[in-house]
Amino acid sequence: MVSTIDRKSELIHALEDIGCRVTGPRVEIIQEISTLEGSFTAEDINTRLPALGRATIFRTIKLLQDTQKLCKTVLFDGTVRYSLDTGFHHHHLICVKCGDIKEMRSMELERVLRVAAKKIPDQVVGHSLEIYRICSNCS
Amino acid sequence: MVSTIDRKSELIHALEDIGCRVTGPRVEIIQEISTLEGSFTAEDINTRLPALGRATIFRTIKLLQDTQKLCKTVLFDGTVRYSLDTGFHHHHLICVKCGDIKEMRSMELERVLRVAAKKIPDQVVGHSLEIYRICSNCS
DNA sequence: GTGCTTGCAAAGAATTTGCATAATT
DNA sequence: AATTATGCAAATTCTTTGCAAGCAC
């Protein structure tokens, strides 16, 4: 299990690595993201950090996506949510009630997807798979 | 192969079935959708039928979704595209260059997905799978 | 000090809604 | 004739941008 502190410094270092300054607002946003267990929306951060400008929140989220540490997911209804990213290829378990997103990996699924890709005449460049569920909090 | 005419009357009947009137604007929109081979955006229809109000286009598209004959897909970049729907469970083959969407079905994939779902402790209510490719027009 | 960042407000883009008018059944 | 549908324009929602002032390095 990764601690909040570890996640926080990992994200801060990731920003530094792409040449960003470590500023107060950015640290505050990273703090919130690290504390949140599941996925979140830009609005979630805005609500928790009302002193920050929305633009800063969107800009920081974008930077974190650039570091590959944050993953953007557009849900079936068009809602945009973000979740921490391990950096490995993975799929999402999405709760249809609260929108929470968890990562999921399965070698078996990947294998079948590779086989399926071979049957497609065009060049396959990737895939995304979302499994919809009702999470334990919501059921 | 389904003809444009068949698709058109199928969509018109589908609207009638949910208690909608068959109006000029709706028929025009259905005509365009039936003629288009792949997927399309609301803007595509608006461009082809500039005499119609945008609101009418969005409202008609929504009605067609209600009939289950039209499928809404939100792409990785947030773009919204629509495509004709067979009504059966299926997945999407999406071209990363032009956004074109084709339906795809695979018993093998479904089987593996069912097995994967059983391993998830929560109640799984569905899934969606998109395979990204470069279509023959774009490659 | 220099240049990257911030917050505000304004601009955008996409979609929805209210309402008077027009068309369908 | 009774209702539903349309088109326009205004309102929404979410996100981005321009810019002067404020920080990090």
Side-chain angles (χ1 to χ4, degrees), chain A residues 2 14 55 59 61 77-78 82 88 105 113 115 122 131-133:
Chain A
V2 182
R59 283 187 283 229
I61 285 176
D77 64 355
Y82 304 93
F88 295 104
R105 298 173 70 190
L113 284 166
V115 172
D122 302 319
I131 294 187
Y132 301 113
R133 59 162 181 164

Side-chain angles (χ1 to χ4, degrees), chain B residues 21-23 54-55 58-59 62 80:
Chain B
R21 290 184 178 173
V22 178
T23 66
R54 279 171 201 280
F58 280 105
R59 283 186 283 230
K62 194 145 288 172
V80 175

Side-chain angles (χ1 to χ4, degrees), chain B residues 2-132:
Chain B
V2 182
S3 79
T4 297
I5 293 288
D6 286 349
R7 274 197 285 262
K8 191 172 160 183
S9 54
E10 187 182 345
L11 292 176
I12 289 173
H13 288 140
L15 279 190
E16 288 177 328
D17 289 348
I18 61 169
C20 289
R21 290 184 178 173
V22 178
T23 66
R26 286 178 180 167
V27 172
E28 285 186 76
I29 292 168
I30 286 175
Q31 169 73 52
E32 284 303 324
I33 293 176
S34 302
T35 308
L36 288 162
E37 273 306 309
S39 60
F40 60 90
T41 63
E43 192 52 33
D44 288 338
I45 304 294
N46 187 58
T47 303
R48 283 176 176 71
L49 300 171
L52 301 190
R54 279 171 201 280
T56 302
I57 291 168
F58 280 105
R59 283 186 283 230
T60 302
I61 285 175
K62 194 145 288 172
L63 289 173
L64 288 170
Q65 284 178 259
D66 292 344
T67 70
Q68 314 277 322
K69 296 290 181 191
L70 195 63
C71 189
K72 173 182 177 173
T73 305
V74 183
L75 303 199
F76 44 87
D77 65 353
T79 311
V80 175
R81 296 189 74 91
Y82 304 92
S83 50
L84 288 174
D85 192 333
T86 57
F88 295 104
H89 175 72
H90 62 268
H91 299 298
H92 288 139
L93 273 174
I94 303 176
C95 176
V96 293
K97 299 234 179 182
C98 68
D100 183 56
I101 301 172
K102 288 262 184 304
E103 276 194 17
M104 180 196 73
R105 299 173 69 191
S106 159
M107 293 302 113
E108 169 77 354
L109 273 174
E110 295 310 317
R111 193 185 57 70
V112 176
L113 284 165
R114 265 198 303 281
V115 172
K118 279 189 193 143
K119 291 180 185 161
I120 297 168
D122 302 318
Q123 187 193 346
V124 171
V125 297
H127 62 249
S128 80
L129 168 65
E130 283 88 44
I131 294 186
Y132 301 113

Side-chain angles (χ1 to χ4, degrees), chain A residues 21-23 42 54-55 58-59 62 80:
Chain A
R21 290 186 179 172
V22 179
T23 66
R54 280 172 201 280
F58 280 106
R59 283 187 283 229
K62 194 145 289 173
V80 174

Side-chain angles (χ1 to χ4, degrees), chain A residues 82-94:
Chain A
Y82 304 93
S83 51
L84 287 173
D85 192 332
T86 57
F88 295 104
H89 176 70
H90 62 269
H91 299 298
H92 288 138
L93 273 174
I94 303 175

